[in-house]
Amino acid sequence: MDSATILLGLVTGTTPYHAEMRTFGMALEGAMKVRNGANQKGNLPWFYAYCLTVLTAFAGGLFGFLWMGKPSSLITGGDVTLTICAIVLVLTTYTPGNVGYRFASLFPVRVITTVWAQLFRALGTLAFINTATAEVSASKYYPTPILGPVLYGILLGNMGAFFSKGVHLHLEKGMPWPVENGLVVGLFYQLFANDHDGPVGQTLRAAVQSTGVQGSLDDKTFATIIVSLFMITTGVLMLPEVYGPSYYPFATLRSMIVPSELSAATEKENENEGTTKSSDKRNDTKQKESLAPSDDEPATKSDIQPQVLFCAVVAEWDEQEKMTVTTW
């Protein structure tokens, strides 16, 4: 097989043992989150750590299917999933000298882990969307069900956070990235791959096909490639060694659509910075006053020199308000 065929099989999930590899990547990522968090010292009871690993990695598969009245993937695929979870738990927690944990913490290993975990999320989300599309009926207002299947796909990537954090903690700061990511890729996939009769899907496909980028690929394969590549790229870019978890791929787009949010954030940041500077000035003034000799106890030369030197170091020269240091 040539490289293009291998890459196509990788992002669409058709290469041999692809399901096992992406399950391993997802399980290892979940085990490392537990190992770096609740089990940082490695002293949790093994069964507790094991359950946390399963829930952190596969809560979407554990609870998501229940919304459609289908058996959990941990039941239907438990032989593979639960066994892999046990393997990664031993690897990250119980190897001599923490060699397994140290190996899994290496940046190249975490990049590979992230790629497989993101493939698990991407292909799982699309599978959920396809399942819901086949199960639910369209409304009388549009020929294809859109939001219901997309919501079902979003739940897959957020059930773990809802289970571990609760609804309030997961959503209190606004729309978290797993929700926004599922909304963006879910809407694109549903409209491009499944909206055969609706005007939005037809317009989207016509616009993309007019560029020639789709080539001879069918609609579902092309949409799957786009979703997988997008999620792999964002996952890698959000690693701490790259741009970090705060990286946001739609920052430029959001600044054009919602400029008021960025302006408010900038004003708040400037306000905080100004408050910090004012506090620093007050602290400097207090330090100088405390270092000045009192009237009752005249300072000697040996006492004055280090005080003056210290004041000269901590004093801040402001062009608007010049701070002077008194010498004796």
Side-chain angles (χ1 to χ4, degrees):
M1 294 190 296
D2 57 10
S3 57
T5 303
I6 295 175
L7 179 60
L8 179 63
L10 176 67
V11 296
T12 57
T14 58
T15 55
Y17 300 104
H18 196 285
E20 290 82 358
M21 289 300 298
R22 63 179 186 261
T23 300
F24 185 88
M26 193 68 189
L28 182 56
E29 184 178 273
M32 290 297 289
K33 288 181 180 179
V34 174
R35 188 67 172 82
N36 290 322
N39 199 24
Q40 188 171 10
K41 296 182 179 179
N43 57 357
L44 289 182
W46 73 267
F47 187 68
Y48 183 26
Y50 177 72
C51 290
L52 285 179
T53 298
V54 173
L55 290 173
T56 302
F58 300 108
L62 179 60
F63 300 108
F65 285 97
L66 303 180
W67 291 91
M68 294 294 295
K70 297 183 178 298
S72 165
S73 62
L74 292 184
I75 303 299
T76 58
D79 288 350
V80 174
T81 304
L82 296 177
T83 301
I84 289 177
C85 285
I87 293 173
V88 296
L89 176 65
V90 173
L91 177 67
T92 58
T93 310
Y94 300 112
T95 52
N98 274 335
V99 62
Y101 172 75
R102 293 177 181 178
F103 177 77
S105 299
L106 296 174
F107 177 66
V109 177
R110 289 195 298 111
V111 169
I112 296 173
T113 301
T114 300
V115 169
W116 285 109
Q118 289 297 91
L119 282 170
F120 182 94
R121 294 186 178 97
L123 298 179
T125 298
L126 302 188
F128 266 51
I129 291 175
N130 288 332
T131 298
T133 302
E135 294 284 344
V136 302
S137 301
S139 69
K140 62 180 180 180
Y141 303 104
Y142 198 78
T144 306
I146 302 296
L147 296 181
V150 171
L151 175 61
Y152 190 47
I154 291 174
L155 287 174
L156 175 67
N158 289 271
M159 287 305 300
F162 283 133
F163 184 85
S164 61
K165 298 180 181 179
V167 175
H168 176 70
L169 289 179
H170 188 45
L171 303 178
E172 65 177 347
K173 296 181 180 179
M175 182 182 291
W177 172 247
V179 175
E180 187 171 356
N181 175 77
L183 180 62
V184 171
V185 301
L187 279 175
F188 168 77
Y189 180 85
Q190 182 68 356
L191 292 171
F192 194 93
N194 293 329
D195 185 18
H196 304 294
D197 302 319
V200 180
Q202 293 174 349
T203 302
L204 178 61
R205 284 190 297 274
V208 173
Q209 291 168 359
S210 65
T211 64
V213 68
Q214 184 174 350
S216 59
L217 296 172
D218 62 83
D219 295 337
K220 284 197 173 184
T221 300
F222 177 77
T224 300
I225 293 173
I226 296 300
V227 170
S228 294
L229 290 178
F230 173 78
M231 291 186 63
I232 290 172
T233 302
T234 55
V236 172
L237 292 178
M238 287 181 179
L239 289 173
E241 292 84 352
V242 189
Y243 290 111
S246 61
Y247 171 75
Y248 183 63
F250 305 126
T252 303
L253 180 62
R254 173 174 284 186
S255 66
M256 293 187 294
I257 298 175
V258 197
S260 58
E261 286 189 9
L262 296 181
S263 299
T266 302
E267 290 177 1
K268 186 174 182 180
E269 183 178 349
N270 292 336
E271 180 181 349
N272 293 336
E273 184 178 353
T275 303
T276 301
K277 288 184 176 179
S278 299
S279 177
D280 291 341
K281 290 179 181 179
R282 288 194 298 269
N283 291 336
D284 290 341
T285 303
K286 290 180 180 179
Q287 287 176 345
K288 290 194 297 177
E289 292 176 353
S290 64
L291 293 173
S294 64
D295 295 335
D296 297 335
E297 298 179 2
T300 64
K301 183 176 180 181
S302 60
D303 293 331
I304 294 173
Q305 289 178 345
Q307 293 173 352
V308 173
L309 178 60
F310 180 76
C311 289
V313 172
V314 300
E316 177 181 354
W317 182 272
D318 191 339
E319 293 180 356
Q320 303 297 330
E321 181 180 353
K322 297 180 180 179
M323 299 174 61
T324 60
V325 180
T326 303
T327 59
W328 297 274

